[in-house]
Amino acid sequence: MQNRRWSTVAFLTLLVAPVLFLAWNSHEPGNGLLSMIYFGERFEQRQLPEVQAIAPPAISALGYDGQFYAQMAIDPSLQHPGMRRSIDSVFWRGRRIGLSAIAYTLGLGQPRWILQVYALLNFAFWIGLLTLLLNRFDLHKLKTKLMVAAILLSSGTLISIERALIDLPALFFSLLPVLCSMSWAGAALLFAFSILTKETAALSAPAVLWVYRTPYTRLLRTALVIGLIPLCWYIYVLQISGLPKSQTATNLLLPFEAFIAKFGAAGLHLQAFISTGRPRLDALSQALFELLAPVSFLVQAAYFFVRYSLRDKYWLFGIGFALLFCLLGAPIWFEQAGYTRILLPLTAAFNLLIHQREHHRAYLGWWITGNLGMFGMLIYIVIQIGLLIF
């Protein structure tokens, strides 16, 4: 018993270490964790006046998506006169108001506090998801340790934390009503909020509807709440922003069209990278995982078709994302920072499903093949820690 306790403590220490490193590595005196929002130099002149007054550090020329959601948090009503200029697409970004609304509320409407809170929120949701899994499963078991590590240390999770994005919070809100017993109204509201955080969470709605399926009147009420709340907000955003230009034409293609192209390009890139001589270890690792990650996603998606079950909540949670995997277009497959986040619910559902169904060698076989490519960001962090130490 004592050995099991110490092994659990050691596991939790190793689990938390990469996340603490991300916080430590991003902290700057005077700026706190603002660098995690990834503001871009090209957008500095378009920032809201409240953000320009804070002068957050610019990480790169273009920055990343978090800079737009953070600015939406300054005024989640999206009525700020500078919002259209500062956000690259008010309609596409504005639909995802959930995390911005939380940052505004916790930041008490004060811009400097709002940005700091926004940068910290992914850490809070990581802890929340860890707590949720620990309450639901026995961490003393090796199977559970492997499942928790696969979900909380996957590239999708760590990139969401590193760049203060919406993917991990959306996963938390959508998993909560599936893993916890609660009233149908609470579950419906939570899931509706997960869709307001990121609209692709709607692909997991069948899991919630299955959990709260009887009686049929409750099923109907649950479905209406889940659907109508985001719909009303989308209509509101549409009135503010006007009709958007289509940005999804190449995000979805014929089944496996972009995946095959990605797999071939990643293989050629890795081969060329190795042939150059002695490449940097972190760059070599990134090139390798650009090849391994799509293969692991293929295994995860295949499991949902090979071991289908229309009455399993975890299967229902992930099957929509397994189908999405087949249709993703070339822009999504460009780099791990994109597709590992979008398919994060698939990774979570896959690991919950095999934890429930598979045992012994079968479990290890599925876990290894389905998760081998999911630790690219973790390996990068380990390499960075090693370079600091040695």
Side-chain angles (χ1 to χ4, degrees):
M1 179 64 72
Q2 192 70 18
N3 289 337
R4 291 177 63 187
R5 185 177 301 172
W6 279 111
S7 69
T8 300
V9 171
F11 169 76
L12 288 173
T13 302
L14 292 174
L15 189 73
V16 172
V19 179
L20 291 178
F21 173 79
L22 289 177
W24 175 83
N25 193 49
S26 300
H27 185 271
E28 297 177 354
N31 286 321
L33 295 176
L34 292 185
S35 64
M36 300 192 80
I37 301 179
Y38 272 64
F39 285 97
E41 296 173 356
R42 188 174 297 181
F43 292 97
E44 281 183 334
Q45 299 305 314
R46 295 169 51 182
Q47 291 172 357
L48 294 177
E50 294 86 345
V51 175
Q52 289 182 336
I54 297 170
I59 298 302
S60 63
L62 292 176
Y64 212 74
D65 295 359
Q67 66 183 316
F68 305 118
Y69 302 123
Q71 290 185 86
M72 281 162 45
I74 302 297
D75 181 8
S77 73
L78 306 180
Q79 298 283 356
H80 192 292
M83 195 66 71
R84 283 198 177 195
R85 185 169 182 267
S86 62
I87 307 301
D88 57 348
S89 174
V90 175
F91 178 76
W92 296 109
R93 302 293 183 188
R95 295 179 303 173
R96 304 168 174 182
I97 198 63
L99 195 64
S100 301
I102 294 174
Y104 176 85
T105 303
L106 296 180
L108 302 178
Q110 302 299 312
R112 185 173 296 274
W113 295 358
I114 289 170
L115 293 187
Q116 292 291 348
V117 168
Y118 180 86
L120 281 166
L121 278 176
N122 264 265
F123 293 101
F125 283 107
W126 189 90
I127 295 171
L129 186 54
L130 172 61
T131 304
L132 183 61
L133 294 173
L134 293 186
N135 287 335
R136 180 66 178 80
F137 303 99
D138 182 7
L139 193 61
H140 293 305
K141 296 180 179 179
L142 177 61
K143 267 180 74 172
T144 303
K145 289 184 175 71
L146 291 174
M147 177 196 69
V148 171
I151 296 173
L152 291 179
L153 295 181
S154 72
S155 292
T157 298
L158 294 178
I159 291 170
S160 182
I161 295 172
E162 184 210 22
R163 304 187 183 187
L165 299 170
I166 57 178
D167 305 270
L168 178 57
L171 175 65
F172 175 82
F173 284 122
S174 58
L175 265 181
L176 192 57
V178 175
L179 292 177
C180 295
S181 298
M182 61 181 66
S183 68
W184 72 267
L189 289 171
L190 274 172
F191 204 85
F193 196 81
S194 74
I195 297 174
L196 287 174
T197 303
K198 189 169 186 180
E199 68 279 359
T200 52
L203 293 173
S204 296
V208 177
L209 296 178
W210 173 256
V211 172
Y212 299 91
R213 65 190 181 278
T214 54
Y216 290 114
T217 54
R218 182 170 63 188
L219 172 65
L220 180 60
R221 290 196 299 261
T222 304
L224 285 174
V225 171
I226 289 175
L228 286 179
I229 292 178
L231 179 61
C232 290
W233 176 255
Y234 294 168
I235 292 172
Y236 169 77
V237 174
L238 185 60
Q239 289 180 333
I240 292 175
S241 63
L243 289 172
K245 295 180 180 179
S246 175
Q247 296 184 355
T248 59
T250 56
N251 285 351
L252 298 176
L253 294 176
L254 294 175
F256 297 107
E257 179 183 351
F259 172 80
I260 294 172
K262 165 66 178 180
F263 188 72
L268 291 174
H269 178 66
L270 178 62
Q271 183 180 11
F273 204 83
I274 295 175
S275 65
T276 59
R278 299 179 62 182
R280 286 173 45 197
L281 186 58
D282 55 348
L284 177 61
S285 171
Q286 182 179 0
L288 175 62
F289 278 94
E290 285 291 354
L291 181 64
L292 292 177
V295 176
S296 287
F297 276 125
L298 180 63
V299 172
Q300 292 179 14
Y303 187 85
F304 282 83
F305 297 107
V306 173
R307 299 294 303 275
Y308 65 89
S309 174
L310 296 173
R311 297 186 176 184
D312 190 301
K313 62 182 181 180
Y314 299 141
W315 187 88
L316 291 169
F317 188 90
I319 184 58
F321 286 92
L323 293 169
L324 179 63
F325 158 80
C326 303
L327 301 173
L328 287 179
I332 306 299
W333 285 112
F334 179 70
E335 61 174 353
Q336 287 185 70
Y339 60 84
T340 58
R341 293 187 296 106
I342 289 174
L343 296 174
L344 179 58
L346 175 60
T347 299
F350 168 78
N351 281 283
L352 288 165
L353 200 54
I354 64 171
H355 180 272
Q356 174 180 270
R357 290 185 176 183
E358 307 298 337
H359 305 281
H360 308 302
R361 291 183 180 179
Y363 176 76
L364 287 176
W366 282 109
W367 190 92
I368 292 171
T369 55
N371 290 302
L372 182 61
M374 297 296 100
F375 297 118
M377 184 63 181
L378 175 64
I379 297 301
Y380 174 81
I381 292 172
V382 170
I383 291 173
Q384 296 305 308
I385 294 174
L387 291 175
L388 285 174
I389 295 175
F390 301 105

